[in-house]
Amino acid sequence: MTSIFRSLRTLLVAVAALATASCGFHLRGSYNLPDEIQKLSITSFDKYGALTREMKTQLRLHDIDIIEPAERISNLRLNGESYGESTLSLYQNSRVAEKQFAYSVSYTVTVPDKGNYNFSTSLSRTYLDNPLTALAKSVEEEMLAQEMRVEATKQIMRQLARLNAHIEEFERKEAEEKALRELYQGFSEEKPSVSIETRFDGKDEPQGKPLSSYSTTPSDDTTEDSVEGDTTP
């Protein structure tokens, strides 16, 4: 009986795994990253900063090859990070009781032949400012900043997983613009002509050489004249 239950449990686990895979479900921390960024170079406003180091760690965790910048290699550019602090509440003695920290990162992804994509991610955290632990305040703030930095890099990974949609939109616009250019070029290559014919019966002919017919092509710089009929005054 034990072996039967073990076999049934294994079967149920296998069925559940297949069901989650077929519906597009992914485990937390697993991202379906585009093929264009499987090899990626990183440039940053702070080459050796904490954010750059944490971003490289996240990329390696998801099997992204980090290589030196090159012309045909996609690039992740960390443009900058910013911190903000605001007061949420006060004690009765007007001392700060609760604060909120805000953190944001802006970055640009460049995919060869697919364009540049600008993104930003932001998050916030609150904490109690205990006056009895003033010596530990700076340590707590640094730990909080590091926590937000790690979470920001995870959000960047999630945004990179959605880069496929941006690339498809870029390709769609490129195709539409190409079709319009080809259509316009087809019209411009045609040379419409206008033919005007004038005949005189001899009684109302103007003085000088009578003009019986001529044709002109508006797109050309020259006009051809032809003369037919009797020129006897």
Side-chain angles (χ1 to χ4, degrees), residues 105-167:
V105 178
S106 62
Y107 64 99
T108 302
V109 180
T110 301
V111 181
D113 301 328
K114 302 293 178 64
N116 301 324
Y117 307 92
N118 297 314
F119 300 96
S120 65
T121 182
S122 60
L123 58 155
S124 61
R125 294 288 186 273
T126 60
Y127 82 102
L128 293 176
D129 188 8
N130 190 347
L132 300 178
T133 59
L135 295 178
K137 180 179 179 180
S138 60
V139 177
E140 183 180 2
E141 290 180 353
E142 179 57 31
M143 292 177 61
L144 189 60
Q146 178 61 20
E147 177 189 341
M148 291 191 294
R149 194 177 295 118
V150 172
E151 182 60 30
T153 58
K154 291 180 180 179
Q155 287 190 9
I156 291 175
M157 293 304 303
R158 289 192 287 270
Q159 289 176 334
L160 289 177
R162 294 193 293 268
L163 189 62
N164 273 327
H166 297 280
I167 293 176

Side-chain angles (χ1 to χ4, degrees), residues 18-71:
L18 291 174
T20 55
S22 62
C23 69
F25 175 79
H26 297 280
L27 296 176
R28 182 179 179 85
S30 177
Y31 307 111
N32 184 22
L33 298 172
D35 294 337
E36 288 83 357
I37 62 172
Q38 293 302 318
K39 291 183 178 181
L40 190 68
S41 63
I42 295 183
T43 53
S44 174
F45 69 100
D46 187 357
K47 186 176 181 180
Y48 302 104
L51 176 63
T52 305
R53 296 196 304 269
E54 186 60 38
M55 191 70 250
K56 289 182 178 180
T57 299
Q58 287 292 329
L59 291 171
R60 291 191 181 100
L61 286 175
H62 293 85
D63 299 326
I64 300 298
D65 293 333
I66 301 175
I67 61 178
E68 292 297 320
E71 182 179 358

Side-chain angles (χ1 to χ4, degrees), residues 82-98:
S82 61
Y83 296 89
E85 181 180 329
S86 59
T87 300
L88 295 181
S89 62
L90 302 172
Y91 291 112
Q92 291 182 352
N93 59 2
S94 298
R95 294 182 66 114
V96 176
E98 189 177 18

Side-chain angles (χ1 to χ4, degrees), residues 141-224:
E141 290 180 353
E142 179 57 31
M143 292 177 61
L144 189 60
Q146 178 61 20
E147 177 189 341
M148 291 191 294
R149 194 177 295 118
V150 172
E151 182 60 30
T153 58
K154 291 180 180 179
Q155 287 190 9
I156 291 175
M157 293 304 303
R158 289 192 287 270
Q159 289 176 334
L160 289 177
R162 294 193 293 268
L163 189 62
N164 273 327
H166 297 280
I167 293 176
E168 290 175 359
E169 179 66 15
F170 177 85
E171 292 176 342
R172 184 185 65 80
K173 290 182 178 179
E174 282 287 301
E176 291 178 352
E177 292 178 359
K178 181 180 179 181
L180 288 175
R181 287 194 299 267
E182 292 177 351
L183 182 63
Y184 177 78
Q185 184 178 3
F187 280 125
S188 63
E189 289 177 352
E190 295 180 358
K191 293 184 178 181
S193 61
V194 178
S195 178
I196 302 176
E197 183 175 354
T198 304
R199 296 185 180 278
F200 298 98
D201 57 4
K203 297 180 180 180
D204 298 327
E205 289 184 358
Q207 297 296 324
K209 184 182 296 184
L211 177 64
S212 61
S213 66
Y214 67 93
S215 63
T216 178
T217 302
S219 59
D220 295 335
D221 295 332
T222 59
T223 301
E224 298 180 357

